[in-house]
Each structure stands twice: as structure tokens, then as C-alpha cells.
Amino acid sequence: MRRFKRNSLKYVLSGIVLAAAAGQANAVENGAGMYILGSRTSMGGVVAPPGTYTQQSYYLYSGSNGGEIVNSGKLQFGIEGRAAIGLTSVLWVPPSEPVLGGSPYFSLTLPYGYKKSDIEGTLTAPGGTVLSGSKSEDSFLFGDPVFGAGLGWGKGPFFGSLNMLINVPIGDYSTSRSTNVAFNHWAYDFTGAVTWMDADSGWQANFATGVTFNEENDATNYKSGDELHVEASVGKAINPNLTLSLQGYYYKQISGDSGSGAFLGDFKGEATALGPAVAWNSDWNGTPVALEARWFHEFNVKNRLEGDAVLFNMTIPLGG
């Protein structure tokens, strides 16, 4: 068996190894969709009263994956990924007449943040030749802005909402990076959510489900498959300010990746996650502030990184 360590052939084939490893482990391009999983596990069916609000969110994720592909030769790979993404949002609920009996709202979210990936792979050719390589990359970048709109119904104990998100591909993107925050393609998410809250007992339950539709990335000729997400939670108010919840989500690609850039096929991702959440409502110098932290531990994962995610939200009314 021969092992090549210092020649140009190694680096050329190592690039193929790393590209194949990344594609196998991360169904949907770069392993992430525009919809943040777990973002509607709490109060998803509730639309705020008329006014203008700002929300600052931080999404932290750390995960890994590994495996092998056997086709004539054998490709073994391992991938680790970390992300710290900030999302600055403005929500406007106009004091308008009801639309279809519901309250309309509009939102704008600007994402930015840090991503890091570590990839290593080893290719064993049919003749016994072994090629190996590794790559580590990190970057801090701005993503694509996301416009949102929706309708909300109900005054308790049941609430419902229909929600739409549109990813606009104008963020900082480069085909030479594996750590893009931007997606460089249009994407549309449609989600429905319901919330039940009992004021006397303090119990509440939430359920949301939706689908993200992805268009092709023209820079890579890669079209990510459409993505189903289901979220739910059960919680209880311990006192007027503090609520504790158990929450989770289920994710599954309902169509495969396609396009000439998806050279490894239509790998479909799937994941399940569970974890606790804590919400705190308070009043700071006369301004109501809502704080929330959610933690998700993933399992039963296929064709995606498997890890843990934390989502922090702080919401403050600006007026109205």
C-alpha cells in the first residue's frame, strides 16, 4: 500500500475527498436551512398587540458527523461545525382593521455571525492508494435579510397564526467558503402555529408546523430539497414572571437535493431534538422586557450534523 504525503496529486484528490465528505454529511447545501429550528416552540400562535417591537436573538450550535462512502474505493470522513449567529429583528403590528378576522404583522430580520468548520477525510482507492486531507475554516459574515408577514387570531385561551418568511439573497456569499452565513438563493417558509394558555393554572401548550421551499443557488447549481419542520412545547408559569417548558422539534427533508452541483445525489436530512426552555418577563425602568433561553439536544439524525443548539431571545416594545 502506498501513501502519498507531499505531491500535487494528494492535494487535488484531497479536495475531492473533502467536498464529498461535506456533501454526504450535510443534506441541504452547507447543512443548514433558512428557518431556525425551534424558533416557534414557545408562543408560536400568538401575535403581539399593535405596536413596534425589536427582538435580539442569538443562535449557538455545535455539532459533528462522520462516516464512510463505499463505491469501488472507500471514503472515510469526519466533520465538526460550530456557529454563533446573531439576528436583529423589527416587528410591526399595525393598528389596522382585521384582515380575514386576524391581526396582520410584518417583520425584518438581519442575520450576522461566526461559523467554523473542520473537515478531514481519507480516500482508499481500489488499488490500495491512500490519500488524506483536512481543512479548517472560520469567518464572521453578514447573511441574507429575511422579510416576514403573517396573521394572528384569538384572545385566549386559544391562539393561532399563519406566518411567511422570505430569504432575500443579497448577503455576503462566496463559493470559496464553506462557512457562509448567507444562502445565495431565494427561500420561502410557510408555518402555521397554535397556542393554548390557561390563565388560572398557568399551563400552556404550543404546536407549529411548516415547510421551507428552496430555489437553486445559481453560483453552485445546487438546489436544496424542501424541508418540513414540526415544533411543540408544554410549559407552566411558576409565577407571573417565570415560565418553564419542555420543547422539541422534528425536521425532515421531503424532497431530495438536485442540480448539477449536488453530485453526490439527493441526500435527505432528518433530525429530532428535545430540551428545556425558560422564559422571564420583567419591567425595566417602565419598559416591559421578555427574555427566553431554549436548549435543544439532537438525536436520530441522518445526513446532517448532530449536536446541540441554544437560542436566546430578548424582546422589547419600541412603541404603540
Side-chain angles (χ1 to χ4, degrees):
M1 180 182 297
R2 293 182 298 165
R3 183 179 295 270
F4 296 88
K5 294 184 178 180
R6 292 185 177 88
N7 56 41
S8 60
L9 178 61
K10 173 197 169 181
Y11 293 103
V12 171
L13 293 184
S14 292
I16 298 174
V17 169
L18 299 177
Q24 166 69 11
N26 296 323
V28 305
E29 190 172 22
N30 291 327
M34 59 90 76
Y35 184 86
I36 295 182
L37 297 173
S39 59
R40 289 194 175 275
T41 56
S42 177
M43 304 293 286
V46 179
V47 171
T52 303
Y53 305 81
T54 180
Q55 183 177 81
Q56 182 61 53
S57 301
Y58 296 98
Y59 178 75
L60 310 176
Y61 183 83
S62 178
S64 62
N65 199 352
E68 65 179 31
I69 302 173
V70 180
N71 185 7
S72 297
K74 181 171 68 173
L75 168 63
Q76 297 173 302
F77 62 88
I79 300 176
E80 293 184 359
R82 287 172 289 279
I85 307 298
L87 303 110
T88 300
S89 303
V90 176
L91 172 72
W92 177 50
V93 184
S96 63
E97 293 296 322
V99 177
L100 300 177
S103 300
Y105 77 86
F106 305 91
S107 67
L108 171 63
T109 299
L110 301 176
Y112 54 89
Y114 171 84
K115 278 189 174 183
K116 182 177 182 181
S117 65
D118 295 289
I119 307 172
E120 60 181 16
T122 300
L123 175 65
T124 303
T129 299
V130 176
L131 300 174
S132 62
S134 63
K135 180 181 180 181
S136 180
E137 184 177 17
D138 65 331
S139 55
F140 184 94
L141 299 164
F142 287 91
D144 299 323
V146 177
F147 290 97
L151 289 172
W153 296 268
K155 295 184 178 179
F158 290 96
F159 302 84
S161 69
L162 292 176
N163 312 273
M164 176 182 67
L165 298 173
I166 302 175
N167 186 82
V168 183
I170 58 174
D172 188 356
Y173 180 87
S174 173
T175 56
S176 63
R177 289 192 299 255
S178 63
T179 53
N180 289 296
V181 176
F183 298 99
N184 200 49
H185 65 78
W186 291 90
Y188 317 92
D189 184 87
F190 300 92
T191 297
V194 293
T195 295
W196 169 80
M197 292 191 297
D198 183 73
D200 295 329
S201 66
W203 283 99
Q204 65 169 267
N206 300 271
F207 179 82
T209 185
V211 177
T212 302
F213 300 94
N214 296 293
E215 294 194 7
E216 184 172 310
N217 182 346
D218 293 333
T220 59
N221 297 318
Y222 196 112
K223 184 182 185 303
S224 297
D226 299 330
E227 306 162 86
L228 169 72
H229 50 85
V230 179
E231 300 156 282
S233 72
V234 176
K236 190 178 191 309
I238 306 302
N239 57 51
N241 301 104
L242 178 66
T243 300
L244 302 179
S245 302
L246 177 65
Q247 37 150 32
Y249 62 75
Y250 173 72
Y251 167 91
K252 183 178 178 63
Q253 268 188 260
I254 55 178
S255 65
D257 301 341
S258 60
S260 60
F263 58 87
L264 285 178
D266 63 346
F267 295 108
K268 296 180 180 180
E270 186 174 359
T272 305
L274 287 174
V278 55
W280 176 263
N281 299 299
S282 186
D283 188 284
W284 295 356
N285 297 322
T287 301
V289 177
L291 302 174
E292 187 177 29
R294 310 173 190 179
W295 173 63
F296 300 94
H297 176 69
E298 294 181 325
F299 57 95
N300 291 336
V301 176
K302 299 178 182 178
N303 295 329
R304 288 173 58 89
L305 296 183
E306 180 176 348
D308 295 271
V310 176
L311 179 62
F312 296 100
N313 293 319
M314 180 177 68
T315 305
I316 302 174
L318 299 178

